[in-house]
Amino acid sequence: MDGGRPGVAATLRALNGALGRPAPLWVKESGARNMRHRDFLAPRAALSASFPGGQVPPEAISAVLSLRGPAVLPLRICRQTPAGLAVQVRRPEAFQRLLGPLPGPAPPAAEARTGCVVLHCPALRGSAALRPRHLRSVLLADHLAQLLRAQGVGVRLVPALTEERNWDVLRQLRIYWPSGSGGSSLPDSISALKAALGRCPCIAACEQKPGTAEGVICKVYLKSFVEQQGLVGYDPNLDVLLVTEETLRSLAELQEAVQQCPVSDPMAPPASRFLYQSSCCSIVHVVNCEEEFQQQQLDVLWRILDPGAHTALQKHLVCGPVKVTNPSTPIEADQYFQLRKRQMYEASMIKYGELAQDEAWTEVIDTLAVAAIRFEMLSTAHRSQITLDLENNSISTKGTKSGAFVMYNCARLATLFNTFLQAVERGTYPPLPPVSELNFSCLREEGEWLLLFNYLLPFPEVLQQAAQLPPLSKGIRITANTETVCKFLIQLSMDFSSYYNRVHVLGEPFPHLFDQMFARLQLLGAVRDVFHSALATLHLPPLSQM
């Protein structure tokens, strides 16, 4: 969080501190109805548990109103109400501090690295065509990588792509995954792993009997190792693994990625609040539920052959199943993309007519198809099942839960600012003044405070929360809030659309109306920046037309 800007977490900490109680009492309001009367609330039930009769003493209320600080929102009113202790923010000052220039020197462009994570996506191994269930874990890993990088975390993606067919599919979906045949040290790493196999007591030779898989080197007794080490969270059916050259290659590639991962602080303690803040590189296996058992086998084998700190930090992020409404016809990822692209073209033809046949619309329709797929795959919690409706021959660009709706509202903002700039060139409006000269007390419309308080204010913390990978004290599974950004964008699009449909931003060119218009443009410029930053974590470019 930028030290020159107020934030939700910092304000809540300050409010809790002012009441002098260890338990968190305050909540941030987000509904438009409640925000007409208050912005933060300490509910009556929580106050009753902390103060006699739920009555907050006057000195505590005075302490709340006297809160100051660069990260704390300016407060105007603190009063006892039937719902609890209610606080209202001094809104013009909050607009100024969030939309105005930063006080003092500009902050550094990027934070120092806080660690490194290897994201391993087994779905990309082998030559089989990708299917939607594979695509879900790949898209999730790609999105998580962008979120982690935005927080200054180093990320390595494994495995490197070797199948040209899959590379083409990922490129169409704007998934930028590394390709190649592996590093120059890969043969040495494989040889070292073979040597470790020879020294391990859990290993036994594998006789080449009829029915034995080709290329098997040996067999490993995984279950005995899991029991000896007291490892928890593994499938109880893990028993014997037949090790092949491909198995060792997969491990060698993971080891290479770990060796190439920079670590910011080698003296850091081994257990930290978040997985990527550990003293050594962390490994997250992003798998669909059908691959989970095989990946657990690889996990245990790696622990056996390389009992280092990094193998102990392996975690598994498991995606729920992907149900397709037409199971009698298996569909590949490329067919899925082409279907959504065709549906987006047909929907655009219905809405825009012959305009949608223009060459400039080709890229727009491609982007809409990618957005539709990413939001279908990522707006649901990764542990839950998702259902793809591929039987319905049409898809809407208007549905408020869709990626197309988000992209449409992003394009509306682009159109607004293009229209304003063209009007400035014609002399209809003067140019937008410096932000220090704007009068934010003109922003009195309910939707304006909603956009600032629910989206601009918490956005940096939304990105931080989406990138958190807290390790579990026991077990190997972790959860991530990978649906957070999609849900945030959908809700932002709904509230922006409601505001934009209700308010005429570019009004008549009368000087007495310019103050309000300029303040609104500054606010919506910040909303546009939030759209762009959030879409970047999904590898979606903002649209300039729709």
Side-chain angles (χ1 to χ4, degrees), residues 161-172:
L161 290 177
T162 56
E163 248 334 280
E164 187 173 336
R165 175 173 59 173
N166 285 341
W167 187 87
D168 286 340
V169 173
L170 299 188
R171 179 181 49 80
Q172 288 178 323

Side-chain angles (χ1 to χ4, degrees), residues 111 114-119 140-155 273-278 282 284 286 317 382 458-471 478-486 488 533-534 537:
E111 297 179 4
T114 57
C116 182
V117 174
V118 172
L119 294 178
L140 191 145
D142 177 69
H143 179 45
L144 186 55
Q146 287 294 90
L147 291 167
L148 288 168
R149 288 169 181 145
Q151 300 304 313
V153 179
V155 178
R273 183 181 176 193
F274 301 119
L275 188 63
Y276 51 75
Q277 292 174 334
S278 177
S282 304
V284 178
V286 184
L317 196 152
H382 67 82
F459 179 61
E461 293 164 59
V462 167
L463 292 183
Q464 289 171 4
Q465 291 163 7
Q468 286 175 4
L469 294 173
I478 59 169
T479 57
N481 300 316
T482 47
E483 74 280 10
T484 300
V485 171
C486 285
F488 175 88
S533 296
T537 70

Side-chain angles (χ1 to χ4, degrees), residues 28-167:
K28 173 190 171 294
E29 294 289 2
S30 57
R33 178 179 297 179
N34 286 340
M35 285 165 55
R36 291 168 192 158
H37 314 291
R38 58 182 184 256
D39 298 311
F40 294 95
L41 177 72
R44 182 172 57 182
L47 293 177
S48 298
S50 300
F51 297 95
Q55 292 299 310
V56 179
E59 59 269 22
I61 293 178
S62 297
V64 168
L65 290 173
S66 64
L67 289 173
R68 300 288 184 274
V72 179
L73 284 164
L75 305 180
R76 182 174 72 91
I77 292 173
C78 178
R79 58 172 173 248
Q80 199 97 26
T81 70
L85 193 62
V87 161
Q88 243 188 353
V89 173
R90 291 203 301 271
R91 295 182 176 184
E93 187 177 337
F95 277 113
Q96 178 67 46
R97 288 176 60 186
L98 280 158
L99 301 177
L102 276 173
E111 297 179 4
R113 289 194 180 276
T114 57
C116 182
V117 174
V118 172
L119 294 178
H120 173 223
C121 199
L124 293 174
R125 294 196 180 278
S127 58
L130 292 175
R131 298 201 182 280
R133 67 176 184 273
H134 305 125
L135 192 57
R136 184 180 189 183
S137 59
V138 177
L139 284 168
L140 191 145
D142 177 69
H143 179 45
L144 186 55
Q146 287 294 90
L147 291 167
L148 288 168
R149 288 169 181 145
Q151 300 304 313
V153 179
V155 178
R156 303 287 301 181
L157 297 173
V158 178
L161 290 177
T162 56
E163 248 334 280
E164 187 173 336
R165 175 173 59 173
N166 285 341
W167 187 87

Side-chain angles (χ1 to χ4, degrees), residues 150-391:
Q151 300 304 313
V153 179
V155 178
R156 303 287 301 181
L157 297 173
V158 178
L161 290 177
T162 56
E163 248 334 280
E164 187 173 336
R165 175 173 59 173
N166 285 341
W167 187 87
D168 286 340
V169 173
L170 299 188
R171 179 181 49 80
Q172 288 178 323
L173 291 167
R174 303 181 191 273
I175 299 172
Y176 303 106
W177 204 273
S179 60
S181 57
S184 58
S185 63
L186 205 57
D188 293 338
S189 298
I190 294 173
S191 297
L193 289 168
K194 286 182 177 179
L197 278 172
R199 298 188 298 270
C200 185
C202 301
I203 309 297
C206 189
E207 298 178 15
Q208 293 296 324
K209 296 179 180 179
T212 303
E214 186 178 348
V216 173
I217 300 171
C218 64
K219 57 185 177 182
V220 184
Y221 296 99
L222 304 177
K223 192 168 189 175
S224 59
F225 178 81
V226 170
E227 291 172 349
Q228 289 167 10
Q229 299 296 315
L231 301 176
V232 296
Y234 289 89
D235 193 303
N237 294 312
L238 283 182
D239 193 2
V240 176
L241 171 65
L242 300 180
V243 179
T244 65
E245 289 280 350
E246 187 56 37
T247 307
L248 295 182
R249 182 181 178 85
S250 298
L251 289 183
E253 207 171 348
L254 282 166
Q255 283 190 322
E256 270 204 342
V258 169
Q259 291 163 4
Q260 295 167 2
C261 218
V263 177
S264 60
D265 183 8
M267 301 303 292
S272 300
R273 183 181 176 193
F274 301 119
L275 188 63
Y276 51 75
Q277 292 174 334
S278 177
S279 59
C280 64
C281 187
S282 304
I283 299 96
V284 178
H285 305 291
V286 184
V287 296
N288 66 60
C289 53
E290 296 177 12
E291 299 166 336
E292 185 180 8
F293 183 81
Q294 289 81 3
Q295 189 52 50
Q296 286 189 17
Q297 291 178 314
L298 197 68
D299 171 317
V300 176
L301 178 62
W302 197 12
R303 291 173 189 263
I304 292 171
L305 300 182
D306 186 6
H310 54 277
T311 56
L313 281 173
Q314 294 181 84
K315 295 293 179 182
H316 297 241
L317 196 152
V318 182
C319 297
V322 177
K323 181 182 177 182
V324 178
T325 54
N326 191 359
S328 61
T329 309
I331 188 168
E332 297 179 3
D334 180 60
Q335 295 170 309
Y336 175 38
F337 171 72
Q338 296 301 331
L339 173 64
R340 289 290 182 249
K341 182 177 176 179
R342 176 177 59 79
Q343 291 171 332
M344 280 298 170
Y345 173 75
E346 291 170 355
S348 299
M349 282 290 293
I350 292 171
K351 186 171 184 179
Y352 301 104
E354 293 183 0
L355 282 175
Q357 294 180 315
D358 188 274
E359 286 186 11
W361 272 81
T362 302
E363 186 173 350
V364 171
I365 290 169
D366 280 353
T367 300
L368 289 175
V370 174
I373 289 171
R374 283 188 176 263
F375 275 76
E376 277 181 319
M377 291 285 186
L378 296 174
S379 59
T380 300
H382 67 82
R383 303 167 300 282
S384 303
Q385 174 180 295
I386 58 175
T387 301
L388 301 180
D389 183 5
L390 303 184
E391 290 182 315

